Amino acid sequence: MSGRRAVKVANRRPLLWIAAGGILLAVGLFAGRKQIVRFINGSKLNELHPVAREKITAFLNKVQQLGYTVRITSGYRTQQRQAELQKTNKYAVSAGTSPHVYGLAIDANFSKNGRTLHSESSLAEWEASGIPTLARNLGLRWGGDFAARDTVHFDYGWGPAVARAKLQAAKARFGDKKWFTADLRTIV
């Protein structure tokens, strides 16, 4: 993938996507701030439901203000992809219960000063970073708080049952092809 294209993320100013060395970087100015925002694999944000994308983008922006580089490793997943992951990944839950299949979650690694927080990092390392607290304060759920710890996971904060109910209601109201554009905060 090469070249540049402008896209909108979370109803903010357009971002410029730059493909460099096989890595897609999102570069842009957010809401009049003079801070440059870069998310490695930032295009995965476009796969999220708009409600989740707005909150998760705000979270990632604040993480960057702490000096971290953000690498999004996963976002929306099809049910088929989630089922495949469940077979090989001890953290993956079933397709029907994963917020990823509803476009409500990301998995991400965070790097600062040559150190990277990833799935093998300890809970203490994660907590010391301040990232989990930041996520909680913004209303996101952190996978490190789950019984089956998944420290790289952050989601919109609805449990799977609520997400399923809202999305089923949206599909019933708007049809299969337009449900993704519905504002789920107003449904059910």
Side-chain angles (χ1 to χ4, degrees):
M1 179 183 289
S2 63
R4 298 178 178 167
R5 63 187 174 105
V7 297
K8 281 195 172 186
V9 173
N11 297 321
R12 308 261 191 221
R13 290 184 180 182
L15 293 177
L16 180 64
W17 295 100
I18 303 171
I23 297 176
L24 188 64
L25 298 175
V27 181
L29 297 176
F30 272 70
R33 295 186 199 127
K34 296 190 180 195
Q35 175 190 2
I36 292 187
V37 177
R38 296 171 193 229
F39 304 136
I40 299 171
N41 297 328
S43 62
K44 291 185 185 300
L45 290 173
N46 289 330
E47 301 169 352
L48 298 178
H49 189 280
V51 173
R53 182 173 56 231
E54 181 179 338
K55 189 175 275 195
I56 289 171
T57 300
F59 161 66
L60 296 176
N61 190 34
K62 289 189 179 289
V63 168
Q64 287 189 321
Q65 290 173 6
L66 296 174
Y68 286 91
T69 299
V70 176
R71 177 183 291 275
I72 301 169
T73 59
S74 186
Y76 169 76
R77 297 180 194 144
T78 64
Q79 289 193 4
Q80 178 181 353
R81 175 68 181 134
Q82 185 66 29
E84 291 168 6
L85 278 176
Q86 188 181 18
K87 293 176 186 173
T88 60
N89 183 329
K90 65 181 179 180
Y91 299 114
V93 298
S94 70
T97 61
S98 173
H100 287 280
V101 300
Y102 302 106
L104 300 174
I106 64 162
D107 291 345
N109 297 331
F110 304 93
S111 300
K112 182 178 179 180
N113 299 329
R115 297 189 51 119
T116 299
L117 291 168
H118 50 76
S119 61
E120 301 303 317
S121 299
S122 70
L123 288 177
E125 289 175 289
W126 277 96
E127 290 290 1
S129 74
I131 292 171
T133 300
L134 181 60
R136 292 181 200 111
N137 289 344
L138 292 171
L140 296 175
R141 294 188 322 154
W142 175 51
D145 292 329
F146 300 169
R149 304 236 191 272
D150 185 3
T151 54
V152 297
H153 177 95
F154 298 87
D155 69 45
Y156 184 69
W158 294 332
V162 173
R164 272 195 308 275
K166 286 182 174 283
L167 291 171
Q168 286 170 354
K171 284 181 180 182
R173 184 170 171 190
F174 299 104
D176 279 342
K177 299 199 188 247
K178 294 187 179 187
W179 70 269
F180 205 71
T181 60
D183 185 345
L184 298 183
R185 292 172 289 200
T186 63
I187 296 172
V188 178

